[in-house]
Amino acid sequence: ETGVTQSPTHLIKTRGQQVTLRCSSQSGHNTVSWYQQALGQGPQFIFQYYREEENGRGNFPPRFSGLQFPNYSSELNVNALELDDSALYLCASSPGTGGINSPLHFGNGTRLTVT
Amino acid sequence: DQQVKQNSPSLSVQEGRISILNCDYTNSMFDYFLWYKKYPAEGPTFLISISSIKDKNEDGRFTVFLNKSAKHLSLHIVPSQPGDSAVYFCAASASSGGSNYKLTFGKGTLLTVNP
């Protein structure tokens, strides 16, 4: 069973640039969620994708957008990068959209640094 | 407004003793609670969960207790092992209101188990 894989592992960008982060979900999982973890904080929900549609969104501006592909892999895109976007971005997959039968399985994350 | 609080940033225990990690929540709509463990440079790993219809759930050395009236849950690890040293995150979700896709995390507690 292949787990959740994310790429790249580390990334350095300049303020104002755009970035795309990628995630392959665990086999058998059809739902992908993205979380942002700032230094010293817990992960914060960005959005979830189910059947290639956004299924829910946290308190993040529209410059954070995503995609899910037919093979359930996903991308997180961030436009007009700001210094505060520096964080660990975590992708998680699950066999359903939420609840007790769908615990999230996280990847190792992408460490984004904005300078 | 932090809806899930882990008030102890760190905890240190001796190998073989009990570790007790605490978590408080403010949102009365939360009805599903999880604990995740995170090692450095890895994503969070699901540990154990509990539904609000229960007050205790056990899995090997790990037991989670839920006190709904106090809006408090705790994770007990007995006996503690050096390999348990990690950051532990408490998380919660609400099945009603169409938001069960979203986990709200605390800031985490760093557990160090000393040999």
Side-chain angles (χ1 to χ4, degrees):
Chain A
E1 182 178 85
T2 307
V4 178
T5 57
Q6 292 186 243
S7 62
T9 54
H10 294 84
L11 202 51
I12 300 174
K13 289 286 190 178
T14 303
R15 190 171 51 184
Q17 285 187 317
Q18 179 266 343
V19 68
T20 297
L21 311 182
R22 294 178 174 84
C23 172
S24 294
S25 61
Q26 183 167 319
S27 61
H29 289 185
N30 58 14
T31 304
V32 173
S33 303
W34 286 91
Y35 284 77
Q36 180 197 66
Q37 186 181 9
L39 201 60
Q41 303 294 316
Q44 193 169 0
F45 176 73
I46 303 175
F47 43 54
Q48 183 186 82
Y49 276 83
Y50 172 65
R51 292 184 176 177
E52 302 176 54
E53 301 268 339
E54 187 180 285
N55 186 51
R57 189 177 185 93
N59 190 24
F60 281 82
R63 59 189 185 83
F64 285 77
S65 63
L67 282 173
Q68 187 180 31
F69 300 99
N71 66 354
Y72 306 128
S73 66
S74 177
E75 286 182 356
L76 164 65
N77 299 289
V78 187
N79 292 323
L81 283 167
E82 300 177 0
L83 296 179
D84 284 350
D85 295 333
S86 295
L88 179 68
Y89 287 85
L90 294 162
C91 171
S93 72
S94 52
T97 57
I100 199 163
N101 294 318
S102 296
L104 298 182
H105 296 256
F106 284 89
N108 289 338
T110 294
R111 173 72 62 189
L112 173 64
T113 303
V114 182
T115 62
Chain B
D1 175 35
Q2 210 180 342
Q3 298 185 56
V4 177
K5 299 177 185 178
Q6 294 177 258
N7 292 319
S8 298
S10 63
L11 175 68
S12 182
V13 299
Q14 284 299 119
E15 181 179 5
R17 307 294 283 265
I18 184 172
S19 296
I20 300 177
L21 297 105
N22 294 303
C23 178
D24 298 296
Y25 62 96
T26 58
N27 187 341
S28 57
M29 299 298 289
F30 287 149
D31 56 3
Y32 175 47
F33 305 89
L34 310 89
W35 286 93
Y36 280 83
K37 176 172 72 173
K38 187 180 185 301
Y39 294 118
E42 293 184 13
T45 302
F46 170 70
L47 201 54
I48 192 169
S49 65
I50 188 167
S51 163
S52 59
I53 62 173
K54 293 186 173 183
D55 54 17
K56 175 183 174 181
N57 190 25
E58 196 170 348
D59 184 1
R61 297 186 297 113
F62 303 92
T63 303
V64 57
F65 294 92
L66 175 63
N67 182 334
K68 284 184 295 182
S69 60
K71 293 191 176 69
H72 176 84
L73 64 154
S74 60
L75 174 68
H76 293 211
I77 306 174
V78 183
S80 301
Q81 299 173 355
D84 296 329
S85 298
V87 176
Y88 287 78
F89 289 102
C90 172
S93 73
S95 59
S96 62
S99 62
N100 67 339
Y101 51 79
K102 169 186 172 181
L103 289 184
T104 301
F105 284 83
K107 290 186 178 182
T109 297
L110 174 62
L111 172 66
T112 303
V113 181
N114 301 302

